[in-house]
Amino acid sequence: KAAEAPRWAMTRVTTVGRTSWKPVAGSNGPAARRLYGFASDPGRGVVVLYGGGLGGTFTSPGDTWEWDGSAWKQIIPVDPEGDGNPAATVAMPLASDPVHGGVLLASDYLWLWNGRSWKKLDTGGLAPDSSMAWDVARGVLVHFGGGYGNATYEWNGTSWRNATPALASDSP
């Protein structure tokens, strides 16, 4: 029996049918890591991986990878905006953004990945170990948890607002 990979290891797989998985032969992808950001970019047909701690540590290479359904590709960002790139970090959430087209990363700032560059959209200052997702029906990015406990914040494309329910019993 083959040794099992650690829980934090990134496994390169593809689906076969609905219930089985198999390794993708010859797929060179990101090194094993934990606490990485991961989100789909449906407009470009890829999923995006950012950062994470290598080999079970909190040391992040701050790298950007894309999976197109058949292979991983490391992307070296360009910076036509002149605003730099996100800090090398762990445990920062990513979410698909159907309004701007791309993937959002919440860290020291809110960043948009468009497949070529990271663009700084807004001051973030949001907590690590949190989650976020785009609420398509209301057109807002919802950020929950992390260092803020059960706090909920929403970004409408221009500003953040605290949307934490008044009663703790109304939060997960």
Side-chain angles (χ1 to χ4, degrees):
K1 179 177 176 182
E4 290 188 26
R7 291 179 139 282
W8 48 264
M10 169 64 72
T11 303
R12 293 172 295 274
V13 297
T14 185
T15 59
V16 177
R18 292 177 172 249
T19 58
S20 61
W21 295 81
K22 71 173 186 173
V24 177
S27 179
N28 294 320
R33 61 191 67 209
R34 65 183 185 148
L35 303 172
Y36 48 85
F38 195 71
S40 68
D41 183 348
R44 296 184 30 249
V46 298
V47 292
V48 179
L49 178 143
Y50 182 78
L54 294 178
T57 72
F58 290 98
T59 303
S60 176
D63 52 355
T64 305
W65 290 81
E66 291 186 349
W67 171 259
D68 66 5
S70 62
W72 281 105
K73 180 179 180 184
Q74 184 174 11
I75 311 294
I76 307 301
V78 296
D79 188 19
E81 303 88 4
D83 55 4
N85 291 305
T89 189
V90 298
M92 289 299 179
L94 267 70
S96 178
D97 181 346
V99 173
H100 296 97
V103 170
L104 296 171
L105 165 69
S107 66
D108 51 341
Y109 294 96
L110 186 65
W111 297 88
L112 174 68
W113 174 250
N114 64 14
R116 292 189 63 236
S117 69
W118 287 101
K119 179 181 179 182
K120 194 182 301 181
L121 295 181
D122 191 63
T123 57
L126 298 172
D129 282 336
S130 55
S131 296
M132 66 181 191
W134 194 268
D135 181 337
V136 175
R138 296 183 309 122
V140 295
L141 178 70
V142 180
H143 181 276
F144 174 77
Y148 298 124
N150 284 351
T152 302
Y153 286 85
E154 293 180 345
W155 184 68
N156 63 10
T158 57
S159 63
W160 290 97
R161 82 173 184 91
N162 187 336
T164 305
L167 299 174
S169 60
D170 290 338
S171 284

